[in-house]
Amino acid sequence: MSNQSSLSLAELNYRIAILQDNVRQLVEQAASASGGQNEERIAARIDQQNEELEKLTNSRDALSKNSFRVMLP
């Protein structure tokens, strides 16, 4: 996903929810996976999804913080 800074708060929250669900599904797959190659592939995908989740969460937090400042007198 690119250019998180141009996304609205609602769009960020939507993408965060999708990534959280992706991570949950990948963890479930990892629990039932057998074989080192499958486990490594799923672990790499979980890491990638968590990195993207962290970026989006940071963008959302920054946007929320800036929105809050605008609302203050």
Side-chain angles (χ1 to χ4, degrees):
M1 296 187 192
S2 61
N3 202 6
Q4 291 95 3
S5 62
S6 66
L7 299 175
S8 71
L9 186 57
E11 291 169 322
L12 286 167
N13 283 330
Y14 178 73
R15 290 183 182 199
I16 287 168
I18 289 171
L19 285 167
Q20 288 171 330
D21 189 52
N22 288 350
V23 170
R24 181 192 55 76
Q25 290 178 29
L26 287 165
V27 168
E28 289 175 4
Q29 287 177 17
S32 64
S34 62
Q37 214 172 20
N38 284 339
E39 292 171 5
E40 288 176 20
R41 184 177 49 81
I42 293 170
R45 185 78 175 131
I46 290 171
D47 288 344
Q48 184 272 330
Q49 293 285 290
N50 278 325
E51 287 174 13
E52 187 66 28
L53 181 58
E54 184 176 354
K55 289 176 190 175
L56 289 173
T57 302
N58 290 340
S59 294
R60 181 193 60 192
D61 293 347
L63 183 61
S64 294
K65 189 180 228 182
N66 289 336
S67 296
F68 183 71
R69 285 185 194 158
V70 171
M71 294 183 342
L72 291 176

